[in-house]
Amino acid sequence: TKDSDTSKNLTEELDAQVDVLKTLNGAYADLGPLLDCVVFHDGEQWRAAIDVDESGDLSAAAALGAYKHTSDVGELCKRQLFYYTLNFYDEGRTLSIVTCAGSHSTHVAGILAAHHPEEPQNDGVAPGAQLLSLMIGDHRVGSMETGVGLTRAVNAIVEYGADVANMSYGEPSSSPNVGQWVQTVAQEVVRRHGCVFVSSAGNEGPALSSTGSPGGTSDGFIGVGAHVGYDQMLAEYAMYETVGDTVFTWSSRGPTPDGDRGVDVYAPGSAITSFPAYCKERLCLRNGTSMSSPNLCGVAALLVSAWKQEMGGASLSPYRVKNAIVSTAKPIGELHGAGMVQTDSAWQFLKRYAARAAEQVSWRTHVDDSRRARGIYLRNAEESAHARFFNVSVVPVFPTSEKARLEHDSDGESGRLESQTQFDFEQRLLLVATESWVSVPDALYVASQGNKFAARVDATKLQAGRLHTASIDAYDSTDVDRGPVFSIPVTVTKPLHVDASACVDLGTLQFRPTEIVRRFVAVPPGATRAHIVLRASNAAALESSPALFYLHCMQLEPATRFRKFFMRERVSIGHKSYGAGGGSAEQKETKTMDVIGGATLEVCLAQFWNQLGAHDIDVRVEFNGIVPANGGGALAEGGPLRAGITVHGSNAVARLDFIAPVRPEYDVSPSIVLTKARKTLRPHEAVISPLGAERDTHLATGSALYKLELDYRLETTREETQLCLHMPAVDTQIYENWADNFALAIFDANKRYLISQISYTSPLLIKQCGESLVRVQIRHRSAKDLEALKDIPLLVDVVLKSSIRLTTKFDMASIFTST
């Protein structure tokens, strides 16, 4: 009938509309707000009007100027209390709309210099300080810092003449104290321009050598760990029963892989202070070394301010400030003597030694070994198996000035004064080893060019499995009471041997609040897995408070970030039922991690800082491993030959031999699954060009940086393709990177931006099939060095749509026959 036909047609029409809507919804991607911006010059400065309402009507829009000139602030989203400021670059051709990438920076700034005239209890450490806010994080990569942001930040520090700088950022690095940015800060920002640079040491503890870059690994910075005291516990954590003052459990510890102290000083690592308005909180509690760093930076600001007021024009180098802070820190029993900052004592130190010229210098130490180390660090078994001898170089580092650098030799008065200072410098030092197993000469004379001495470390009689620390302290022979002029850390982690059972019992470890116990084990050659077994068998467990523990296990591999062989797990002891009906107390936890044979494994167990009660925990470590035989099972020194397995696709059958060098392995069921395919792309275009001189210059040369842009054609044959891009020469590095920055962006065939990655590459999803453009940018100060990269390949690991499982058999006949 006519009505039924009409109804049918309507139903079909509605179904078709639904299908269209589903298709459109599947293809829709929200790229964020689209704002009209008008930039103009008002005769005095650049201004911009922004259509924050997205209405298209700019008649009521406020015309804001650059924040650094006008302090103008606009509302980007009224409902959410979200604000923005503006900057202008390239003669108005580039408009920068600046917003928060997170709450972190506001909280850090509040700790350092918040000023509440009506509520002084909410003031920061240095409420009279003027703040210069420098954004180094990029919202496109979760607010992680980028090389571009770091370079522009240090340029601004120098441009505005900042006295102190705080950096509550950092990442693990593969090598300490290297990288173009780290060296730029040490040599240009700190040494030449006199800025005290403070940085967080990291939150990756409590295992040793867990400090991050730059604060916990690099010269020139003051690296700060996180401390919690009685007043913090009461005011911030509402503890009904407090524990003793301590370092936060998660605060990173030294030494660095090259033996330096890592953490210079500790400061309060928590605060209730300012938060961004869009978070709907005025004040908020946060903790971390990101909080201890601005606390310490605030102290440095107070010291610099007091010096300027009371000492007139007397020179104050960043080294003098660091010497005062570190030398007067209150001992708290931490590694290599790093103590809790004492503001008043530091100021008294500055005044007492104001006339002592040697306080103006820093000291660079170099221990002659293959790593160009700054301290002595014997971690693996072979390093402590016999007495070791070291040649140690000590060189004073003098502050310099931009004025002296720019002077001509014929009229270089500033340069002459610097040279005279170096000529006059001498230190007659007394050397003292704090432990009997370290031997050094009694005295050392040091002039401006430095000197060397020999040191002997005999760890052969030290207890295995434990941490042993010492230091080589140098005292001014004319003023021993001043304390050490410099200290060279000595760290020995003499590991326990693992016998043929491939197991080692660490015994019953006893814990009280804040207790940390470390044990060190020599991982057997060929081991690839470690199983840490914890048993809580305390008979009084039912009467003790439940407690949270950190189990932190770690190995170090040369030139590798510490997270490669790293496990940090939270373990609750006493939260579960130990026994039913009055049975014996028993709780067992097993945690497993990857290991490498031949390298020392630290097993660190810590009762979390605010957990009460006493606990006894039995710890056992078990190892196993199956590795490629490499033609007869040959093992390299300390571990297996880690060669890749090669299977030729043209062969019908491939033979693979494996061995179990640690202990027999039974009931093995091998499987081989192919999950990724690797492609190698070559650039079809490579262009080197200079960057703008306004922001992107190198401090040491004053010249513009260069960028190398590389274009690659990426072909995907299906929708929803998962892949990962790699450029090993420059990616997965920030602070240790020789380049200024590495970044890539992907565009579709219509040149529409899809996604970007900066510094660290990670898996990504390409939704459409077809051709895409991958543009890589590498920044560096030398165009000549970039020339060598113009043909660099881009590695593309594509996740297969369906994994491929290969047939594996233990004998040839089983492959071809079923009987």
Side-chain angles (χ1 to χ4, degrees), residues 159-220:
E159 177 187 352
Y160 290 97
D163 293 303
V164 296
N166 176 77
M167 183 172 174
S168 292
Y169 260 89
E171 306 292 334
S173 63
S174 57
S175 299
N177 206 38
V178 299
Q180 68 84 27
W181 187 84
V182 165
Q183 292 305 312
T184 295
V185 171
Q187 297 303 319
E188 298 298 322
V189 179
V190 176
R191 186 184 181 196
R192 189 179 304 282
H193 293 278
C195 179
V196 181
F197 215 116
V198 181
S199 185
S200 52
N203 306 324
E204 304 270 7
L208 301 184
S209 303
S210 55
T211 51
S213 291
T217 63
S218 312
D219 291 341

Coordinates of all heavy atoms in Angstrom, one line a residue, residues 159-220:
E159 N 69.7 36.9 28.8 CA 69.2 38.2 28.3 C 68.7 39.0 29.4 O 68.9 40.3 29.5 CB 68.1 37.9 27.3 CG 67.4 39.2 26.8 CD 66.2 38.9 25.9 OE1 66.0 37.7 25.6 OE2 65.5 39.9 25.5
Y160 N 68.0 38.5 30.4 CA 67.4 39.2 31.5 C 68.3 39.3 32.7 O 67.9 39.9 33.7 CB 66.0 38.7 31.8 CG 65.0 38.9 30.8 CD1 64.7 37.9 29.8 CD2 64.3 40.1 30.7 CE1 63.8 38.1 28.8 CE2 63.4 40.3 29.7 CZ 63.1 39.3 28.7 OH 62.2 39.5 27.8
G161 N 69.4 38.7 32.7 CA 70.4 38.8 33.8 C 69.9 38.2 35.1 O 70.1 38.7 36.1
A162 N 69.3 37.0 35.0 CA 68.7 36.3 36.2 C 69.9 36.0 37.1 O 71.0 35.5 36.7 CB 68.0 35.1 35.8
D163 N 69.7 36.2 38.4 CA 70.6 35.8 39.5 C 70.6 34.4 39.8 O 71.7 33.8 40.1 CB 70.4 36.7 40.7 CG 70.6 38.1 40.5 OD1 71.8 38.5 40.1 OD2 69.7 38.9 40.7
V164 N 69.4 33.8 39.9 CA 69.3 32.4 40.2 C 68.3 31.8 39.2 O 67.4 32.5 38.7 CB 68.8 32.2 41.7 CG1 69.9 32.6 42.6 CG2 67.5 32.8 41.9
A165 N 68.4 30.5 39.0 CA 67.4 29.8 38.1 C 67.1 28.5 38.8 O 67.9 27.8 39.4 CB 68.1 29.5 36.7
N166 N 65.8 28.1 38.7 CA 65.3 26.9 39.2 C 64.8 26.0 38.0 O 64.1 26.5 37.1 CB 64.2 27.0 40.1 CG 63.6 25.7 40.6 OD1 64.2 25.0 41.4 ND2 62.5 25.3 40.1
M167 N 65.1 24.7 38.1 CA 64.6 23.8 37.0 C 64.1 22.5 37.7 O 64.9 21.7 38.1 CB 65.8 23.5 36.0 CG 65.3 22.6 34.9 SD 66.6 22.4 33.7 CE 65.9 21.2 32.6
S168 N 62.8 22.5 37.8 CA 62.2 21.3 38.4 C 61.7 20.3 37.3 O 60.6 20.0 37.1 CB 61.0 21.7 39.2 OG 61.4 22.4 40.4
Y169 N 62.7 19.9 36.5 CA 62.5 19.0 35.4 C 63.7 18.1 35.3 O 64.7 18.4 35.9 CB 62.5 19.8 34.1 CG 61.1 20.1 33.5 CD1 60.4 21.2 33.8 CD2 60.5 19.2 32.6 CE1 59.1 21.5 33.3 CE2 59.3 19.5 32.0 CZ 58.6 20.6 32.4 OH 57.4 20.9 31.8
G170 N 63.6 17.0 34.6 CA 64.7 16.1 34.4 C 64.3 14.8 33.9 O 63.2 14.4 34.0
E171 N 65.3 14.1 33.3 CA 65.1 12.7 32.7 C 66.3 11.9 33.0 O 67.4 12.4 33.1 CB 64.8 12.8 31.2 CG 63.7 13.7 30.8 CD 62.4 13.3 31.2 OE1 62.2 12.0 31.4 OE2 61.5 14.1 31.3
P172 N 66.2 10.6 33.0 CA 67.4 9.7 33.1 C 68.2 10.0 31.8 O 67.6 10.2 30.7 CB 66.8 8.3 33.1 CG 65.4 8.5 33.6 CD 64.9 9.8 33.1
S173 N 69.5 9.9 31.9 CA 70.3 10.1 30.7 C 71.3 8.9 30.6 O 71.6 8.2 31.6 CB 71.1 11.4 30.7 OG 72.0 11.4 31.8
S174 N 71.7 8.6 29.4 CA 72.6 7.4 29.2 C 74.0 7.7 29.7 O 74.7 6.8 30.0 CB 72.6 7.1 27.7 OG 73.0 8.2 26.9
S175 N 74.4 9.0 29.7 CA 75.8 9.3 30.2 C 75.7 10.6 31.0 O 75.0 11.5 30.6 CB 76.7 9.5 29.0 OG 76.8 8.4 28.2
P176 N 76.4 10.6 32.2 CA 76.3 11.8 33.0 C 77.2 12.9 32.5 O 78.3 12.7 31.9 CB 76.8 11.3 34.4 CG 77.7 10.2 34.0 CD 77.2 9.6 32.8
N177 N 76.8 14.2 32.8 CA 77.7 15.3 32.6 C 78.2 15.5 31.2 O 79.3 16.1 30.9 CB 78.9 15.2 33.5 CG 79.5 16.6 33.8 OD1 78.8 17.5 34.0 ND2 80.8 16.6 33.9
V178 N 77.4 15.1 30.2 CA 77.7 15.3 28.8 C 76.4 15.9 28.1 O 75.4 15.9 28.7 CB 78.1 14.1 28.1 CG1 79.4 13.5 28.7 CG2 77.0 13.0 28.1
G179 N 76.6 16.4 26.9 CA 75.5 16.9 26.1 C 75.7 18.4 25.9 O 76.2 19.1 26.8
Q180 N 75.3 18.9 24.7 CA 75.6 20.3 24.4 C 74.9 21.3 25.3 O 75.4 22.3 25.7 CB 75.3 20.5 22.9 CG 73.8 20.5 22.6 CD 73.1 21.8 22.8 OE1 73.7 22.8 22.8 NE2 71.8 21.7 23.0
W181 N 73.6 21.0 25.7 CA 72.9 21.9 26.6 C 73.5 21.9 28.0 O 73.6 23.0 28.6 CB 71.4 21.5 26.6 CG 70.6 22.5 27.4 CD1 70.1 23.7 26.8 CD2 70.2 22.5 28.7 NE1 69.4 24.4 27.8 CE2 69.5 23.7 29.0 CE3 70.4 21.6 29.8 CZ2 68.9 24.0 30.2 CZ3 69.9 21.9 31.0 CH2 69.2 23.1 31.3
V182 N 73.8 20.7 28.5 CA 74.4 20.7 29.9 C 75.7 21.5 29.9 O 75.9 22.2 30.9 CB 74.6 19.2 30.2 CG1 75.5 19.1 31.4 CG2 73.3 18.5 30.5
Q183 N 76.5 21.3 28.9 CA 77.8 22.0 28.9 C 77.6 23.5 28.7 O 78.3 24.4 29.2 CB 78.7 21.5 27.8 CG 79.2 20.0 28.2 CD 79.9 20.0 29.5 OE1 80.7 20.8 29.8 NE2 79.5 19.0 30.3
T184 N 76.6 23.9 27.9 CA 76.3 25.3 27.7 C 75.9 26.0 29.1 O 76.3 27.1 29.4 CB 75.1 25.5 26.7 OG1 75.6 25.1 25.4 CG2 74.7 27.0 26.6
V185 N 75.0 25.3 29.8 CA 74.7 25.8 31.1 C 75.9 26.0 32.0 O 76.1 27.0 32.7 CB 73.6 24.9 31.8 CG1 73.4 25.4 33.3 CG2 72.3 25.0 31.0
A186 N 76.7 24.9 32.1 CA 77.8 25.0 33.0 C 78.8 26.1 32.6 O 79.3 26.8 33.5 CB 78.5 23.6 33.0
Q187 N 79.1 26.2 31.3 CA 80.2 27.1 30.9 C 79.7 28.5 30.6 O 80.4 29.5 30.9 CB 80.8 26.5 29.6 CG 81.5 25.2 29.8 CD 82.6 25.2 30.9 OE1 83.3 26.2 31.0 NE2 82.7 24.2 31.7
E188 N 78.5 28.6 30.2 CA 78.0 30.0 29.8 C 77.1 30.6 30.8 O 77.3 31.7 31.3 CB 77.3 29.9 28.4 CG 78.1 29.4 27.3 CD 79.3 30.4 27.0 OE1 79.1 31.6 27.1 OE2 80.4 29.9 26.7
V189 N 76.0 29.9 31.2 CA 75.1 30.5 32.1 C 75.7 30.6 33.5 O 75.5 31.7 34.2 CB 73.8 29.6 32.2 CG1 72.8 30.2 33.2 CG2 73.2 29.4 30.8
V190 N 76.3 29.6 34.0 CA 76.8 29.6 35.4 C 78.2 30.3 35.4 O 78.4 31.3 36.1 CB 76.9 28.2 36.0 CG1 77.6 28.2 37.3 CG2 75.5 27.5 36.0
R191 N 79.2 29.8 34.7 CA 80.5 30.2 34.8 C 80.7 31.7 34.2 O 81.3 32.5 34.9 CB 81.5 29.3 34.1 CG 82.9 29.6 34.3 CD 83.8 28.7 33.5 NE 85.2 29.0 33.7 CZ 86.2 28.6 32.9 NH1 86.0 27.8 31.9 NH2 87.5 29.0 33.2
R192 N 80.2 31.9 33.0 CA 80.4 33.2 32.4 C 79.4 34.3 32.8 O 79.8 35.4 33.0 CB 80.4 33.0 30.9 CG 80.8 34.3 30.1 CD 80.8 34.1 28.6 NE 81.6 33.0 28.2 CZ 82.9 33.0 28.0 NH1 83.6 34.1 28.4 NH2 83.5 31.9 27.6
H193 N 78.2 33.9 33.0 CA 77.1 34.9 33.3 C 76.7 34.9 34.8 O 75.8 35.7 35.1 CB 75.9 34.8 32.4 CG 76.3 35.1 30.9 ND1 76.3 36.3 30.4 CD2 76.6 34.2 29.9 CE1 76.6 36.3 29.2 NE2 76.8 35.1 28.8
G194 N 77.3 34.0 35.6 CA 77.1 34.2 37.0 C 75.7 33.8 37.6 O 75.4 34.4 38.6
C195 N 75.0 33.0 37.0 CA 73.7 32.6 37.5 C 73.8 31.3 38.3 O 74.4 30.3 37.9 CB 72.7 32.3 36.3 SG 71.1 31.8 36.8
V196 N 73.2 31.3 39.5 CA 73.2 30.1 40.3 C 72.1 29.2 39.8 O 70.9 29.6 39.8 CB 72.9 30.5 41.8 CG1 72.9 29.2 42.7 CG2 73.9 31.5 42.3
F197 N 72.4 28.0 39.4 CA 71.4 27.2 38.7 C 71.1 26.0 39.6 O 72.0 25.2 39.9 CB 72.0 26.7 37.4 CG 71.0 26.5 36.3 CD1 71.0 27.3 35.1 CD2 69.9 25.6 36.4 CE1 70.0 27.1 34.2 CE2 69.0 25.4 35.5 CZ 69.0 26.2 34.3
V198 N 69.9 25.9 40.0 CA 69.4 24.8 40.9 C 68.5 23.9 40.2 O 67.6 24.3 39.4 CB 68.7 25.4 42.1 CG1 68.2 24.4 43.1 CG2 69.6 26.5 42.8
S199 N 68.6 22.6 40.4 CA 67.7 21.6 39.7 C 67.4 20.4 40.6 O 68.2 20.0 41.4 CB 68.4 21.2 38.4 OG 67.6 20.4 37.6
S200 N 66.3 19.8 40.3 CA 65.8 18.6 41.0 C 66.7 17.4 40.7 O 67.1 17.3 39.5 CB 64.4 18.4 40.7 OG 64.1 18.3 39.3
A201 N 66.9 16.6 41.7 CA 67.7 15.4 41.4 C 67.0 14.2 40.9 O 67.5 13.2 40.4 CB 68.5 15.0 42.7
G202 N 65.6 14.2 41.0 CA 64.8 13.1 40.5 C 64.1 12.4 41.6 O 64.4 12.4 42.8
N203 N 63.0 11.6 41.1 CA 62.1 10.9 42.0 C 62.1 9.4 41.7 O 61.1 8.7 41.7 CB 60.7 11.4 41.9 CG 60.6 12.9 42.1 OD1 61.3 13.5 42.9 ND2 59.7 13.6 41.3
E204 N 63.3 8.9 41.4 CA 63.4 7.5 40.9 C 64.1 6.6 42.0 O 64.5 5.5 41.6 CB 64.2 7.4 39.6 CG 63.7 8.3 38.5 CD 62.7 7.5 37.6 OE1 62.3 6.4 38.0 OE2 62.3 8.1 36.6
G205 N 64.2 7.1 43.2 CA 64.9 6.3 44.3 C 64.0 5.2 44.9 O 62.9 5.0 44.4
P206 N 64.5 4.5 45.9 CA 65.7 4.8 46.6 C 67.0 4.1 46.2 O 68.0 4.2 46.9 CB 65.3 4.4 48.0 CG 64.4 3.2 47.8 CD 63.7 3.5 46.5
A207 N 67.0 3.3 45.1 CA 68.2 2.6 44.7 C 69.3 3.6 44.4 O 69.1 4.7 44.0 CB 67.9 1.7 43.5
L208 N 70.6 3.1 44.4 CA 71.7 3.9 44.1 C 71.7 4.3 42.6 O 71.1 3.6 41.8 CB 73.0 3.2 44.4 CG 73.2 2.8 45.9 CD1 74.6 2.2 46.0 CD2 73.1 4.0 46.8
S209 N 72.4 5.4 42.3 CA 72.6 5.8 40.9 C 71.3 6.0 40.1 O 71.2 5.6 38.9 CB 73.5 4.8 40.2 OG 74.7 4.6 40.9
S210 N 70.3 6.5 40.8 CA 69.0 6.8 40.2 C 68.7 8.2 39.9 O 67.6 8.6 39.6 CB 67.9 6.2 41.1 OG 68.0 6.7 42.4
T211 N 69.8 9.1 40.1 CA 69.6 10.5 39.8 C 69.4 10.8 38.3 O 69.9 10.1 37.5 CB 70.7 11.3 40.3 OG1 72.0 10.8 39.8 CG2 70.8 11.3 41.9
G212 N 68.6 11.8 38.1 CA 68.3 12.2 36.7 C 69.1 13.4 36.2 O 69.7 14.1 37.1
S213 N 69.1 13.6 35.0 CA 69.8 14.8 34.4 C 68.8 15.9 34.2 O 67.6 15.7 34.0 CB 70.3 14.5 33.0 OG 71.4 13.6 33.1
P214 N 69.2 17.2 34.4 CA 70.6 17.6 34.6 C 71.0 17.7 36.1 O 72.2 17.6 36.4 CB 70.7 19.0 34.0 CG 69.3 19.5 34.2 CD 68.4 18.4 34.1
G215 N 70.0 17.9 37.0 CA 70.3 18.2 38.4 C 71.2 17.2 39.1 O 72.0 17.6 39.9
G216 N 70.9 15.9 38.9 CA 71.6 14.9 39.6 C 72.8 14.3 39.0 O 73.4 13.3 39.5
T217 N 73.2 14.8 37.8 CA 74.3 14.2 37.1 C 75.4 15.2 36.6 O 76.4 14.7 36.0 CB 73.8 13.4 35.9 OG1 73.2 14.3 35.0 CG2 72.8 12.3 36.3
S218 N 75.1 16.5 36.7 CA 75.9 17.4 35.9 C 76.6 18.5 36.7 O 76.0 19.0 37.7 CB 75.0 18.1 34.8 OG 74.2 17.2 34.2
D219 N 77.8 18.8 36.3 CA 78.6 19.9 37.0 C 77.9 21.2 36.7 O 77.2 21.4 35.7 CB 80.0 20.0 36.4 CG 80.9 18.8 36.9 OD1 80.5 18.2 37.9 OD2 81.9 18.5 36.2
G220 N 78.1 22.2 37.6 CA 77.5 23.5 37.3 C 76.2 23.7 38.0 O 75.8 24.8 38.4

